[in-house]
Amino acid sequence: MQTIAFTTDADGIATLTIDVPDQSMNVIGPDFLADLDAAITRIASEDAIKGAVIASGKDSGFMAGMDLKYFGSMLATRDGSRPAPAAIFDQVFVLNQLFRRLETCGKPVACAIEGTCVGGGFELALACHRRFVGDSSKTQLGLPEILIGLFPGGGGSQRLPRLMGVQAALMYMLQGKLFRPAEAAMLKVVDQVVPQGTALEAAQAWVKANPTATAQPWDVKGFKFPGGVGQFNPGFVQTMVGALPMTLKQTQRNMNAPVALLSAVYEGAQLPFDRAIRIESKYFAKVAADPQASNMIRSLFVNKQAAERGARRPKAEPKAPTMKLAMLGAGMMGAGIATVAAQAGMEVVLFDRDIAYAEKGKAHVETVLKKRLGKGMTPEKMAATLARVTPTADYADLAGADFVIEAVFEDVAIKAEVTKQVEAILGPDVIFGSNTSTLPITKLATAWSKPANFIGVHFFSPVEKMPLVEIILGKETGPAAIAKALDFVAQIKKTPIVVNDSRGFYTSRCFGTYVQEGAELVAEGINPALIENAGKQLGMPVGPLAVSDEVSIELGYKVMTAAKKELGDAYVVQRSDDVMTQMVERDRLGRKNGKGWYDYPEGGKKMLWSGIADLFPRADDQPDVEAVKERLLYRQLIECARCYEEGVLETPEDGDIGAIFGWGFAPYTGGPFAHMDTVGIAHVVAVLDRLRAAHGDRFAATEQLRAMAATGATFYQSVPDRAAA
C-alpha cells in the first residue's frame, strides 16, 4: 500500500495509518481509494483481525477531502468535453461504496482524529463506528464543500442528519460551518473528546473492549432520526419547507449545490440507507457535471491555495520575513494593518503626524483584539500582541524596521514627503510599500532613491476581515521587493495577487465600473430599487448604490477629479461623473455622514433616499431586471478584459481571485475570466457589441477578445499573444 500503513497488534487490532506521500495534508485520490479497498477486504476477511482503528500519520491533521486534481480528471474526457452526469455518477459512487463497505465489514472500526478533519476525511470518520477526537483549539471538523460549489458526496449528507437531526445538519452543511471538538461531541457528531495526542490509544482500547459494536445506528432495526423525518412529521416538513426559500433567497438562485443538497437530504432521509447514498451520488454528479462547480473549485480553492503558497513569488529570492514593520499612518487602514502584523508576531512601529492619532490607532488594535477574547484570544495573548505595537510621532523610532508600509492621505505630494523622511532614517535598501488604492506606483516610487525597492501593497477595508492583498509592480520594481511583499502577505495569512501598474490598478479600476454603471442607470431614470435588486440577483454582495455609500460617494468623486486632472484631454467623461458631482454638491456623501443614495436614520433601517427621483427623474419605460443585470455584469467583464489586454493582469488566475476576494464579484461564476470562458468569448463579444450600440463605447470589446472569439480561444487554455492582439 502506498498511502496506508496497515499494522496489527497482539490483540488483533489493526491500525490503518494514513500518510499520502507528497502531500502536506492527507487527501483522497486514486491510490488512497485502492489502498482503502484492500484494507477493508483484509479487515472483513481475516479472522485474526478483531477490529480496526483509522488514524493519520501526518502532523498536519487527520484528513482533508478529495484531491481536487483527481476530482478535476473526473470532469473531463479525452476530447476535452464534459462527461454526462451518469458517467460522473459511476466515478463518485465509488467513494460511497467504499465507506459503506467499511461500516458493514462486520468488525468494529474506530477513528482517531488529531487535527483537521474535513470534507471527505470527515465523511470517512462518519463511516466509522466510533469517533475519538484529540482536544485542541486548532482542530476543526465538518463538511465545508458548499463553499467551493459542491456538497458532501461521500455519504456525509446522509450520515450527518442521522446523527444530529435534519435541521441541525442542514444548518452546518448549507453554511459550510465547521465544528470544534467539544461542540461536535455535544451534538453527538463525535463520541468522545480525549486529551490531545491520546486519540489513537483511546480508539484502540474501545475496539478491544467492544468486539460486537459492528453496526451503525441507521443499520439497527427501529432506528429513528433525531427529531424525526417523513412527510407526516411536522418538524421535518416545516424544516424542508422553510429551508428551500431561505436558501434561494441567500443564494439569489445562482448556486446549484445548496438546492441539490436539500434534495439529497429530503429524499435520502425517507429511504433505506443503501438507496439514500445512491440518491446523494446522483445529485452530486449533477452538480459536478455543471461548469459552475469546476469554476468555483479552481478559483476558490486550487488557484487561491497556489497564490498563498507563492505561485507569483520570484523563485531565486531568499525568504525575507518581516521582523519589524514601520507602519506609516494610523487611520483605519494603517491601524488595521498594524493589527494583523502584530497578531502575526511582528514588532510594529505605528507612526502618525500627531502622537494622539498614533495612540488612537493602537486603541483600534486593542478594540479588535478584545472582540476576539474567548475566540482563540486569551488575555495573555492580547497583552503580548499589544506590547508589539509602539505608537509614535517621531520618525527616528522607525530605525531598525525591515519593511515599510505607507497608508497616509491619498495625495502624491504628501506621500512623497513622508517617503523621503522615512528614507532619511532607514536608507534606500529597505523595501517600501505603499497602500495607495489608485495612485500610480511608478510615480510614487520617484520619491524613493531606489525605485527597485518600491512596491504597491493594496489592502482592503476592514483589513482584519478582508482576505485579499493586491501587490502592484511599478515599472522598476525588483524581485527582492516582490518577494518581501509576498512573504509579508504570507505571514499575515492573506491571499495575494500580483498586478502591474496603472491608475486604479486592477481591483479599484474594475470595482469602480460596478458603481459607475449603477450611477449611469440612475442618470437614465432607472428605478434605484430595480438597480439594487439586480446587483444582488447578479450575485454581488450588495447593490451598486449601497456599495457606493459604503466606500463613500465623496471618495469616488475625488478619484474622478484626480483622474481628470492627471489625464487632461485624454479623460473620457461619463454621465456617472455628473451624478457623483450632484450628490457631493448636496452633501450626500454616503454612510459616513448618514446620507447618500440611502438615508440612515439613527436606530432604524436604511432606506433609499426619496429625493433621488427629484434629482434624476424616473423614466417612463423601465427595463426588466435581466437587462439591468446584464449591464452591471458586462461593464465589469469588459474592464477586466481590458486590464488583461493592457498587461495590468498577467494571469487570469489573479484576475478571478482578485475579483471574488477584492470586490465580491459573483463567486458562483468562478470569477470574470472563468465566466467569460464558460459562456464563450464569441457570446461575450456579441453581447458587448449590442450594449455598445445601445449605451456607448464603455462597452467596446477589446481587440484581444475579438481575436479569441475568432479562434475559439479561452483565457485558461489558449489566450493569443497580447502584442499580436
Side-chain angles (χ1 to χ4, degrees):
M1 295 183 185
Q2 298 181 49
T3 64
I4 298 174
F6 194 112
T7 59
T8 308
D9 66 16
D11 295 314
I13 310 301
T15 299
L16 283 63
T17 306
I18 306 169
D19 191 352
V20 179
D22 303 319
Q23 296 282 356
S24 59
M25 173 69 77
N26 287 324
V27 291
I28 297 172
D31 291 338
F32 173 76
L33 293 175
D35 290 348
L36 182 61
D37 186 16
I40 294 169
T41 298
R42 282 193 63 184
I43 294 166
S45 62
E46 294 184 16
D47 293 338
I49 295 177
K50 306 304 180 184
V53 173
I54 301 177
S56 169
K58 291 188 184 292
D59 294 334
S60 57
F62 180 76
M63 192 173 220
M66 184 75 72
D67 179 343
L68 291 176
K69 290 181 180 177
Y70 169 61
F71 181 74
S73 70
M74 296 183 188
L75 306 181
T77 58
R78 289 183 179 178
D79 63 3
S81 63
R82 299 185 72 83
I88 297 175
F89 173 91
D90 291 338
Q91 297 185 75
V92 300
F93 191 59
V94 168
L95 186 63
N96 252 327
Q97 288 176 306
L98 271 180
F99 289 172
R100 186 61 175 150
R101 282 185 59 215
L102 178 68
E103 67 184 3
T104 59
C105 70
K107 309 279 179 72
V109 180
C111 187
I113 302 169
E114 299 280 3
T116 299
C117 177
V118 296
F122 190 57
E123 290 177 296
L124 170 59
L126 294 178
C128 296
H129 302 112
R130 195 81 172 177
R131 288 164 291 282
F132 295 85
V133 183
D135 191 8
S136 168
S137 61
K138 296 181 179 179
T139 294
Q140 292 184 306
L141 312 101
L143 301 169
E145 290 91 336
I146 208 82
L147 301 178
I148 56 169
L150 297 171
F151 72 92
S157 75
Q158 304 306 312
R159 291 186 178 91
L160 196 63
R162 285 166 169 81
L163 286 170
M164 61 188 297
V166 170
Q167 184 177 23
L170 282 175
M171 183 182 76
Y172 279 85
M173 290 190 290
L174 285 170
Q175 297 178 47
K177 188 179 177 183
L178 299 178
F179 305 93
R180 294 293 181 182
E183 180 185 12
M186 182 183 69
L187 293 168
K188 303 189 186 306
V189 175
V190 301
D191 298 287
Q192 194 172 339
V193 178
V194 297
Q196 186 177 1
T198 67
L200 177 58
E201 181 183 344
Q204 289 170 332
W206 179 86
V207 171
K208 182 179 178 181
N210 294 272
T212 61
T214 60
Q216 294 278 38
W218 43 89
D219 289 324
V220 176
K221 187 176 181 180
F223 167 75
K224 292 184 179 180
F225 272 72
V229 296
Q231 297 181 32
F232 298 103
N233 181 287
F236 177 70
V237 172
Q238 186 176 0
T239 294
M240 300 308 301
V241 167
L244 182 58
M246 285 177 62
T247 299
L248 293 177
K249 180 181 178 182
Q250 289 177 340
T251 64
Q252 294 292 330
R253 299 177 182 267
N254 290 320
M255 299 281 290
N256 298 329
V259 176
L261 170 61
L262 287 172
S263 297
V265 171
Y266 176 74
E267 294 177 31
Q270 301 176 75
L271 293 170
F273 195 82
D274 288 303
R275 289 185 61 193
I277 57 175
R278 293 189 68 87
I279 290 290
E280 178 192 79
S281 289
K282 178 188 77 171
Y283 281 109
F284 186 90
K286 185 177 179 182
V287 168
D290 191 283
Q292 183 180 105
S294 52
N295 285 346
M296 290 182 70
I297 290 168
R298 180 173 59 196
S299 295
L300 302 180
F301 191 84
V302 177
N303 292 343
K304 179 176 179 289
Q305 281 201 340
E308 291 165 353
R309 291 171 178 169
R312 300 296 309 279
R313 190 187 187 283
K315 299 295 185 285
E317 290 296 317
K319 287 291 183 183
T322 295
M323 307 305 292
K324 182 177 180 180
L325 173 69
M327 185 64 242
L328 312 178
M332 287 297 289
M333 292 298 288
I337 297 167
T339 301
V340 297
Q343 285 180 295
M346 299 173 219
E347 183 183 347
V348 181
V349 182
L350 184 55
F351 173 89
D352 213 301
R353 65 185 184 277
D354 188 296
I355 189 63
Y357 287 110
E359 294 281 5
K360 186 178 179 182
K362 182 168 181 177
H364 170 87
V365 179
E366 184 174 9
T367 299
V368 171
L369 297 179
K370 278 182 177 177
K371 290 178 181 177
R372 294 196 59 236
L373 284 171
K375 302 174 183 176
M377 177 64 65
T378 64
E380 294 76 20
K381 272 188 184 179
M382 178 176 162
T385 303
L386 277 173
R388 288 194 283 270
V389 180
T390 304
T392 186
D394 186 349
Y395 281 105
D397 290 337
L398 303 178
D402 57 299
F403 188 40
V404 182
I405 297 180
E406 165 271 306
V408 302
F409 190 72
E410 284 286 276
D411 180 275
V412 172
I414 293 173
K415 288 181 182 291
E417 174 61 25
V418 170
T419 302
K420 290 173 182 176
Q421 293 273 12
V422 172
E423 183 172 330
I425 299 295
L426 297 179
D429 292 330
V430 170
I431 306 301
F432 190 105
S434 175
N435 179 55
T436 179
S437 58
T438 57
L439 300 176
I441 292 300
T442 303
K443 185 170 186 176
L444 295 179
T446 60
W448 195 255
S449 61
K450 283 190 176 180
N453 290 344
F454 198 101
I455 194 165
V457 187
H458 177 206
F459 285 81
F460 297 78
S461 184
V463 174
E464 297 87 356
K465 293 182 179 178
M466 294 296 282
L468 189 77
V469 180
E470 184 178 29
I471 304 298
I472 306 107
L473 312 185
K475 287 184 179 177
E476 296 183 57
T477 300
I482 301 171
K484 183 72 172 179
L486 287 173
D487 287 349
F488 175 79
V489 174
Q491 283 177 272
I492 60 174
K493 293 181 170 57
K494 292 192 182 290
T495 304
I497 62 168
V498 180
V499 305
N500 290 312
D501 198 13
S502 80
R503 177 164 289 276
F505 320 127
Y506 171 60
T507 56
S508 295
R509 172 176 166 180
C510 295
F511 162 69
T513 63
Y514 179 59
V515 174
Q516 289 159 14
E517 197 60 26
E520 293 279 344
L521 287 157
V522 170
E524 294 171 22
I526 308 305
N527 187 336
L530 173 59
I531 298 168
E532 293 293 84
N533 285 326
K536 287 187 284 188
Q537 288 181 28
L538 179 60
M540 303 297 289
V542 294
L545 307 183
V547 77
S548 179
D549 271 8
E550 293 296 332
V551 300
S552 163
I553 298 170
E554 184 183 38
L555 177 61
Y557 173 79
K558 287 180 178 178
V559 171
M560 178 262 292
T561 53
K564 277 185 176 180
K565 181 180 177 181
E566 179 78 18
L567 298 175
D569 293 340
Y571 182 82
V572 179
V573 176
Q574 304 285 348
R575 290 177 72 177
S576 57
D577 298 348
D578 180 60
V579 172
M580 281 190 290
T581 301
Q582 292 200 54
M583 292 292 282
V584 170
E585 286 175 351
R586 287 160 178 78
D587 197 37
R588 300 202 67 90
L589 308 181
R591 181 185 276 276
K592 72 176 186 177
N593 77 329
K595 51 183 181 177
W597 293 113
Y598 286 79
D599 283 322
Y600 300 87
E602 193 169 337
K605 189 177 180 181
K606 73 177 186 181
M607 61 191 76
L608 280 164
W609 175 40
S610 59
I612 296 175
D614 298 327
L615 199 56
F616 307 103
R618 194 74 49 83
D620 293 333
D621 294 325
Q622 295 286 316
D624 63 26
V625 70
E626 293 302 322
V628 179
K629 285 167 62 178
E630 184 178 70
R631 283 179 60 176
L632 293 173
L633 172 63
Y634 275 80
R635 184 63 188 90
Q636 294 176 79
L637 293 181
I638 183 54
E639 204 64 32
C640 294
R642 287 177 187 140
C643 284
Y644 196 91
E645 183 178 69
E646 293 167 16
V648 176
L649 282 173
E650 294 187 359
T651 70
E653 290 89 344
D654 278 338
D656 284 340
I657 293 169
I660 293 171
F661 294 104
W663 75 88
F665 186 88
Y668 71 92
T669 64
F673 295 94
H675 183 68
M676 287 188 278
D677 278 358
T678 299
V679 300
I681 306 301
H683 173 77
V684 171
V685 170
V687 173
L688 288 170
D689 286 346
R690 173 167 50 79
L691 291 173
R692 181 187 187 186
H695 303 292
D697 286 346
R698 65 184 181 278
F699 288 102
T702 64
E703 289 304 311
Q704 185 185 58
L705 281 176
R706 293 192 185 281
M708 292 171 69
T711 61
T714 63
F715 284 103
Y716 274 96
Q717 291 181 352
S718 49
V719 181
D721 183 73
R722 289 188 181 91

